[in-house]
Amino acid sequence: MNVAFIPVRGGSKSIPLKNIKLLNGKPLVYWAVRAACGCRYIDRVFVSTDSRIIRDTVEKFAKEEGSSFSKVEVIDRSEKTACDSASTESAMLEFAGNYDFSTIVLVQATSPLLTSSDLDKGFEAFRVGGVDSVLSVVRQKRFNWEVDAEGFAQPTNYDVFHRPRRQEFDGYLVENGAFYITSKNDLLRTRNRVSGHIKPVEMNEDSFFEIDEPSDWGIIEALMKKQQQTREQLPVIKMFLTDCDGCLTDGGMYYSEKGDELKKFNTKDGMGFQLLREHGVLTGMITGEDVSLNERRGEKLKLDVYEPHCQNKAAVISRLCEKFSIEPENVVFIGDDINDLEAVKMVGLGCCPSDAEQPVREVAKYITKAKGGEGVIREVVDKILGYNLNT
């Protein structure tokens, strides 16, 4: 059984009872509970607290939310694990001694920008062979410096004579404290929230911010309002279409010694299409090629539409919209090259990979952080699910 553990104590010093202070109209802890309840891999959500006021608050909003919060249970947290000097691990270990589970995800209430989709990705990473723990991170693209013993500054992550452009700079990963996943066995053995082979899962760069001080409150509330405005601006998606080479693949052409053509697809995209199907979104591939390899991949992905040898993708999308009685504004199309240009422009959410041709990037409404073949489809799916389908 997979459980979420959300520790919230009543003795916060910087912001008294901050865990139930209203943030964007809801108690702070509400947002962590909401994300955990929406995760498809979590069976039960435990909120651990030493405060009667927090208990009453959580039980009240869980009851008001009804079946969508049915996984929630509020449990007691001892004074020993809720004092100022107690570690989060001490509360986790106390919980592990009293409850039966196989996998635990520690969810921090101070990270209200966490989404169910982030947690889904975390559990999918944890399920990969050889992974012992998972933690959430954000990618920062900043130029770091350090000062030596003589007081002179030196860059630590770039060459001052070859300053990279932001879009070409890989940056570095920073732990954002939103969630951590590990097994009960490893938690008890190491007495730590993560151990062994640790896999990072990237979250939106806005989630770098946590609520620790009063000044953080206004920043995060502004970010949440910005996300809400973005949700309202995005169309409801009913059909999801993509080009193949350069989107589903890295655009490379690989050949075996026998001359067989090979392509590299990303398994994350397969899960993305599955999530779309579960939400009733039609899926399809529109490609200028007519090769059996693409068709076989489409069959494996269980796509509703496969359109090969396509010279005019915009015309194909118009025909599909008429066939399924869907407006173009309710369609996603992902393309990467100039033959995709008109199709990207005509749909409600035209997208492209970060390494798409410049004319396509100029008209796309969303440019993924991922390059072609590196999970482009999954990134766009996460955006849709997070913003349009209330995941």
Side-chain angles (χ1 to χ4, degrees), residues 14-49:
S14 59
I15 308 174
L17 285 174
K18 71 176 178 181
N19 289 304
I20 56 172
K21 179 179 168 65
L22 294 185
L23 176 72
N24 205 28
K26 298 287 186 180
L28 174 60
V29 67
Y30 169 91
W31 301 105
V33 173
R34 179 175 183 263
C37 286
C39 175
R40 60 205 305 265
Y41 300 104
I42 292 175
D43 300 302
R44 298 181 69 185
V45 177
F46 293 91
V47 179
S48 172
T49 185

Side-chain angles (χ1 to χ4, degrees), residues 61-111:
F61 70 62
K63 182 178 180 181
E64 291 172 347
E65 293 290 336
S67 60
S68 61
F69 275 40
S70 61
K71 299 177 183 179
V72 181
E73 180 179 345
V74 185
I75 61 174
D76 291 327
R77 180 175 176 178
S78 69
E79 291 183 14
K80 181 180 179 181
T81 66
C83 66
D84 291 343
S85 60
S87 67
T88 300
E89 272 80 0
S90 68
M92 296 175 70
L93 290 166
E94 178 181 65
F95 170 74
N98 295 323
Y99 290 86
D100 184 35
F101 59 89
S102 57
T103 303
I104 183 171
V105 53
L106 168 65
V107 178
Q108 305 271 45
T110 50
S111 299

Side-chain angles (χ1 to χ4, degrees), residues 49 124 271 291 308 340:
T49 185
E124 286 157 15
M271 176 56 71
V291 294
D340 301 313

Side-chain angles (χ1 to χ4, degrees), residues 175-376:
E175 186 176 333
N176 69 350
F179 71 88
Y180 305 82
I181 304 175
T182 192
S183 69
K184 180 177 183 178
N185 288 339
D186 284 342
L187 172 63
L188 293 174
R189 179 177 58 82
T190 67
R191 305 181 70 80
N192 201 52
R193 68 187 72 181
V194 289
S195 60
H197 294 101
I198 304 169
K199 190 81 168 180
V201 170
E202 288 190 47
M203 287 177 53
N204 185 287
E205 61 183 350
D206 286 346
S207 67
F208 173 81
F209 295 97
E210 298 179 82
I211 291 184
D212 290 318
E213 301 297 333
S215 58
D216 300 328
W217 209 271
I219 294 172
I220 290 185
E221 195 154 44
L223 289 171
M224 294 181 81
K225 291 184 184 300
K226 182 187 77 171
Q227 290 182 355
Q228 185 175 357
Q229 291 172 353
T230 303
R231 287 195 296 268
E232 293 169 353
Q233 293 169 0
L234 287 174
V236 175
I237 301 304
K238 299 181 180 180
M239 183 161 59
F240 187 105
L241 305 171
T242 182
D243 180 29
C244 183
D245 291 332
C247 297
L248 281 167
T249 76
D250 60 6
M253 304 297 290
Y254 305 95
Y255 295 91
S256 69
E257 291 184 357
K258 296 181 179 180
D260 298 321
E261 183 178 333
L262 307 172
K263 295 186 181 184
K264 183 174 118 177
F265 294 92
N266 194 299
T267 56
K268 292 180 182 178
D269 292 338
M271 176 56 71
F273 281 117
Q274 179 180 322
L275 293 172
L276 289 172
R277 288 197 304 275
E278 292 174 358
H279 285 88
V281 178
L282 292 172
T283 58
M285 183 195 306
I286 302 178
T287 173
E289 289 190 310
D290 187 5
V291 294
S292 61
L293 186 59
N294 292 348
E295 185 174 9
R296 292 200 304 273
R297 182 58 179 165
E299 290 174 352
K300 186 169 184 178
L301 294 172
K302 300 180 181 178
L303 302 182
D304 300 292
V305 173
Y306 174 65
E307 292 279 346
H309 202 258
C310 181
Q311 303 302 316
N312 188 336
K313 296 180 182 179
V316 170
I317 293 174
S318 294
R319 171 166 55 79
L320 292 172
C321 286
E322 184 175 352
K323 175 181 178 180
F324 295 110
S325 299
I326 295 174
E327 295 297 324
E329 67 182 33
N330 300 124
V331 176
V332 168
F333 178 73
I334 306 176
D336 71 302
D337 214 331
I338 54 174
N339 61 329
D340 301 313
L341 200 58
E342 294 305 314
V344 171
K345 289 163 60 176
M346 73 172 289
V347 298
L349 186 58
C351 306
C352 71
S354 61
D355 57 346
E357 291 299 310
Q358 182 61 31
V360 184
R361 296 202 305 271
E362 289 175 356
V363 301
K365 293 181 179 176
Y366 181 70
I367 302 173
T368 65
K369 295 178 182 178
K371 296 179 180 179
E374 296 181 355
V376 167

Side-chain angles (χ1 to χ4, degrees), residues 117-126 133-139 173-174 176 179 181 198-204 207 268:
S117 180
D118 294 323
L119 291 169
D120 283 344
K121 287 192 289 186
F123 274 95
E124 286 157 15
F126 183 72
S133 301
V134 168
L135 83 163
S136 59
V137 298
V138 293
R139 187 172 295 277
L173 299 179
V174 179
N176 69 350
F179 71 88
I181 304 175
I198 304 169
K199 190 81 168 180
V201 170
E202 288 190 47
M203 287 177 53
N204 185 287
S207 67
K268 292 180 182 178

